[in-house]
Amino acid sequence: VDIAWQNQDGVTYDEKLGAVLASSDMPDVVVIPSWNMGGKIPSAIISKFADLGPYLSGDAVKKYPNLAAIPTEAWQYSIFGGKLRGLPQPSPSVTGIVPFYRKDVFDKEGWELPRTADDFLAFAKDITRPRAKVWACDDLKWTAFNIFGVLSGSEKPLGWNQADGKLVYRVETPEYLEALEWTRKLYAAGVVHPDAKAANQGTAADRFTSGQVLIYNNNISDWWGKMAEQSTQNPDFRIAGMDIFGHDGGDPQLWAGSPAGIFAFVNKKASKAVVEDVLAAANVTAAPYGTKEYMLTNYGVEGTHYTVKDGMPVKNDKGNQEVVNAYVMLASPAPTIAHPDFPQIAKEQVEWQQRMGAFTRKSAFWGMQITEPARYTNLSNDFEQLEDDIVRGRKKIGDMQQAVSDWKKQGGDKLRDWYQKLLDDNGSAQ
C-alpha cells in the first residue's frame, strides 16, 4: 500500500481541519486528535467518515490480529454517532503532560526542585537571567492545571464531574481560576521566555534544548525525543521530568486521560478496496513492541537508519532525521515505553507514570465518547483563547468570571442538565 502523508503543523491543525473536512476532495484518511474535536468537528466525523464495524466485527477482525489486540476501552472510545468510525491511538490513563527540566544544568548548579506553587515562583525568579538570555520557564498553563487539580479540558466530557452532588464544568471551579492566576504571576514576574508571551515565535522545545529555557511542559514522548535528538549535538544534555506537586505542597489531584487520544478516520466515499488497504496498513502500524513491523516503523531499516549494538538498536544521524514514527497516527498498539538506545530514559518515564498514577482517578464521564448536541458545540470555544490572554496579562481574571457567567446563561446550565441525564441513563465511570 502506498501511503502519501500530507503533514501539517500541529499548532495550526485545527484551523485547517474544517476546510479539509468541507472539501469535495477530502483525503482517503484524515487524522484527528481529540483536542481538535471542538465546534462542528464531531458532527463532521459522523457525516463524513466510514463505518468500520462491518470490516472489524466478529470473525472479520481475524484478518487484522494486531487491530484485534488494541485494548477494548480504546475501541469503545472510537465509536462516534453509534458507529465504529475511528482507528485509535491508545493512551495511558496517566496525564501525558510532563514538566521537563534541564537536569544537566540543575545538577551543575546544585538546585533542588520546588514542591509548592509559591516555592516554584520564588525559585523561578532566582534562576532567571535575562541578560544571559536564560529564563526559568516557558508557558506552563498545562502544568498549572495539574498542580491545582483542574479537570481535563482538551476533551469536553472529561471537563465535567460530580462535586457535592452536582455536575460542574471545569471553568466553574475555583481550582481553574487559581491555576490561571498562578500562571499569570509567572508571566508578570518575567520568568517566562518573552517568545512564549508572543505565542507565535519559535517553539518551547527549541528554547529548552538551546538553554534559553530551563523548564517547559510537553508530551511525555519528548523525554526520549529530545534526548535522542541532542545525544550527538550536545553529549552533556540531560532531560528529566519533574513530579507534579499539589499547589500547597500536598499530594496532587490528577485526572485520568481518555483511553485513546488520536484517531484516523476513513473517507465515507472510499471504495471497499481502499478501506481494506487502510486496515491492512493499520494492522502493520498497530504491531506490538518487539515485532519486525514495530522495528521498521520505529527504527527504520537496519544498516541505513540504525545498527544493533549489544543486542540493542541504536539510531544513527540519518535515523534520527528520517525515522519519526508518524505511522502511529494510523493506528497503534497498546501503549508501551521502551527505548533500547536509552534504557534509563524508559525507566524514568515508567517510574514517573507510576508515581503520578498513584494520584490519578477517573472523572464521571471517563471512557465515554460523547457528541454534544449541535446547539452547544461552540459554547466553550472561546475559553482557551481567553485563558491565554489572561495568563499573558492581556485580560483579567474578572474577564473569565464574566465569561463563565455568560456561558451559563447562553446554554451552560442547559448543557449541564443534558449531561446529568446522560449520567442518570448510563451511570458514572467512577
Side-chain angles (χ1 to χ4, degrees), residues 15-223:
E15 297 171 15
K16 298 177 182 177
L17 200 53
V20 169
L21 297 181
S23 170
S24 57
D25 189 27
M26 193 172 74
D28 292 327
V29 180
V30 179
V31 175
I32 306 180
S34 53
W35 52 90
N36 288 146
M37 289 186 184
K40 298 179 180 178
I41 300 299
S43 58
I45 289 171
I46 293 168
S47 64
K48 298 274 187 175
F49 295 114
D51 175 12
L52 303 177
Y55 298 89
L56 297 173
S57 299
D59 287 346
V61 80
K62 289 181 179 178
K63 287 174 64 176
Y64 314 106
N66 294 326
L67 295 181
I70 289 174
T72 300
E73 294 88 351
W75 281 121
Q76 289 173 336
Y77 202 58
S78 304
I79 295 172
F80 293 79
K83 306 285 187 182
L84 179 62
R85 301 182 199 275
L87 292 169
Q89 182 176 344
S91 306
S93 58
V94 180
T95 178
I97 299 299
V98 180
F100 292 113
Y101 67 99
R102 284 290 298 265
K103 190 173 187 301
D104 51 332
V105 177
F106 273 63
D107 288 350
K108 180 183 175 183
E109 299 289 345
W111 292 333
E112 291 187 10
L113 295 172
R115 295 293 306 160
T116 73
D118 288 343
D119 287 348
F120 187 100
L121 178 57
F123 173 72
K125 290 177 181 176
D126 286 342
I127 67 173
T128 295
R129 302 183 183 101
R131 288 185 178 178
K133 295 194 180 305
V134 176
W135 286 264
C137 57
D138 218 272
D139 184 79
L140 291 182
K141 183 183 72 171
W142 294 340
T143 292
F145 288 150
N146 283 332
I147 288 173
F148 285 87
V150 180
L151 287 160
S152 171
S154 59
E155 299 146 271
K156 289 178 182 178
L158 297 185
W160 289 91
N161 201 28
Q162 292 172 304
D164 300 323
K166 181 185 177 184
L167 271 186
V168 294
Y169 190 47
R170 64 192 301 263
V171 299
E172 302 176 275
T173 63
E175 295 85 4
Y176 177 72
L177 294 180
E178 288 166 3
L180 293 179
E181 180 60 36
W182 180 74
T183 313
R184 181 184 173 93
K185 286 179 181 177
L186 295 179
Y187 275 95
V191 302
V192 182
H193 196 288
D195 285 357
K197 189 166 188 174
N200 58 359
Q201 295 185 23
T203 69
D206 288 343
R207 294 190 281 271
F208 179 76
T209 52
S210 69
Q212 293 187 34
V213 160
L214 300 174
I215 302 166
Y216 84 119
N217 50 205
N218 211 335
N219 187 275
I220 193 170
S221 59
D222 254 17
W223 207 321

Side-chain angles (χ1 to χ4, degrees), residues 227-386:
M227 194 67 190
E229 172 192 288
Q230 295 295 310
S231 60
T232 54
Q233 302 173 35
N234 179 7
D236 295 328
F237 176 88
R238 193 73 176 80
I239 185 174
M242 186 184 299
D243 280 11
I244 298 166
F245 48 81
H247 69 94
D248 58 359
D251 293 338
Q253 170 54 74
L254 303 174
W255 297 97
S258 293
I262 299 175
F263 308 85
F265 299 95
V266 184
N267 193 329
K268 202 174 188 175
K269 296 179 181 178
S271 66
K272 183 174 184 251
V274 168
V275 175
E276 289 178 340
D277 277 351
V278 171
L279 293 177
N283 187 58
V284 173
T285 68
Y289 174 75
T291 57
K292 289 180 180 178
E293 295 90 342
Y294 181 95
M295 290 301 299
L296 184 65
T297 52
N298 283 273
Y299 288 93
V301 177
E302 185 175 359
T304 301
H305 299 110
Y306 74 95
T307 54
V308 177
K309 296 179 182 177
D310 301 323
M312 302 290 186
V314 179
K315 279 186 186 176
N316 54 31
D317 286 347
K318 189 178 181 67
N320 283 325
Q321 289 168 5
E322 295 185 357
V323 187
V324 179
N325 186 3
Y327 289 100
V328 295
M329 301 292 177
L330 192 54
S332 4
T336 55
I337 292 180
H339 306 305
D341 46 352
F342 290 101
Q344 185 60 32
I345 293 294
K347 183 173 184 287
E348 290 171 11
Q349 285 178 295
V350 170
E351 289 174 347
W352 187 89
Q353 285 187 327
Q354 289 172 334
R355 291 193 301 273
M356 298 304 98
F359 305 115
T360 299
R361 60 190 176 100
K362 296 175 180 177
S363 59
F365 296 96
W366 185 87
M368 300 184 196
Q369 185 59 261
I370 296 169
T371 303
E372 294 177 354
R375 60 188 177 278
Y376 301 127
T377 52
N378 296 315
L379 198 56
S380 303
N381 282 8
D382 296 335
F383 280 121
E384 187 173 2
Q385 183 59 54
L386 184 53

